[in-house]
């Protein structure tokens, strides 16, 4: 559990950094400062790659944990861990669950808004952004796309 918690912590920080980079690109688009757009998109791509690498580590840790617990990986959710793990893991996983729910919404909204700004301003970077962040799991960090999200640890 310690290793999974550490990986989840890294993944949250990396998602926050990715969000920061996307918001910085939004500011460049709004200001009309186009000479730095390419650099900004490259930074987003690098941040996205780091998130993908950490997601793969998370998938490995979850597989190990699920195997040890004798359950399927599709049954292993942060909500389940937060409700069943002994302390201090219960509190740690509950905090990650809340944090990932919020980050998933923020990252998704930031990408949608940034792509719309790029399209509206006629910049060809929107296509690059749409392919920049593709998580290892079908939905970022294992969340289901619903108003109330449950983090599934693939």
């Amino acid at each position: 559990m310690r290793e999974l918690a550490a990986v989840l912590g890294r993944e949250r920080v990396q998602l926050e950094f990715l969000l920061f980079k996307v918001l910085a690109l939004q500011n460049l688009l709004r200001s009309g400062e186009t000479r730095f757009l390419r650099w900004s998109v490259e930074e987003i791509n690098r941040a996205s790659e780091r998130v993908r690498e950490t997601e793969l580590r998370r998938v490995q840790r979850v597989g190990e944990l699920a195997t040890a617990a004798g359950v399927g990986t599709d049954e292993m959710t942060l909500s389940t861990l937060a409700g069943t793990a002994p302390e201090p893991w219960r509190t740690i996983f509950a905090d990650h669950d809340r944090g990932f729910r919020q980050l998933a919404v923020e990252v998704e909204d930031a990408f949608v808004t940034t792509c719309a700004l790029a399209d509206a301003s006629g910049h060809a970077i929107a296509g690059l952004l749409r392919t920049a962040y593709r998580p290892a799991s079908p939905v970022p960090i294992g969340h289901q796309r619903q108003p109330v999200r449950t983090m599934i640890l693939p």
Side-chain angles (χ1 to χ4, degrees):
M1 285 198 210
R2 180 178 315 243
E3 290 178 24
L4 177 59
V7 170
L8 290 169
R10 272 194 307 280
E11 190 174 357
R12 275 179 70 184
V13 168
Q14 289 169 342
L15 281 168
E16 287 174 343
F17 185 74
L18 176 62
L19 177 61
F20 166 73
K21 291 298 182 181
V22 174
L23 294 174
L25 177 58
Q26 274 185 28
N27 287 330
L28 287 174
L29 288 165
R30 286 187 173 119
S31 71
E33 192 63 60
T34 60
R35 65 184 171 159
F36 301 116
L37 292 180
R38 180 180 167 93
W39 290 353
S40 188
V41 171
E42 288 173 6
E43 294 250 333
I44 289 170
N45 283 327
R46 279 193 293 275
S48 295
E49 184 58 33
R50 283 191 297 275
V51 170
R52 279 190 291 272
E53 290 168 3
T54 303
E55 284 179 335
L56 293 174
R57 281 190 215 94
R58 174 180 38 87
V59 169
Q60 290 172 331
R61 296 295 167 265
V62 169
E64 294 165 3
L65 191 59
T67 300
V71 299
T73 55
D74 57 333
E75 298 173 37
M76 190 68 66
T77 68
L78 263 182
S79 296
T80 301
L81 285 172
T84 60
E87 287 296 348
W89 306 114
R90 178 181 305 212
T91 301
I92 291 167
F93 291 137
D95 177 62
H96 282 309
D97 191 33
R98 283 187 302 275
F100 277 119
R101 287 174 195 246
Q102 182 62 37
L103 268 172
V105 170
E106 289 180 89
V107 170
E108 175 88 13
D109 290 348
F111 267 100
V112 168
T113 300
T114 305
C115 287
L117 283 169
D119 286 340
S121 61
H123 296 292
I125 62 168
L128 296 172
L129 286 175
R130 288 184 180 96
T131 60
Y133 178 64
R134 292 292 175 247
S137 55
V139 182
I141 54 175
H143 280 49
Q144 298 170 346
R145 292 185 195 270
Q146 298 174 12
V148 176
R149 297 170 189 232
T150 300
M151 181 170 179
I152 297 173
L153 299 172

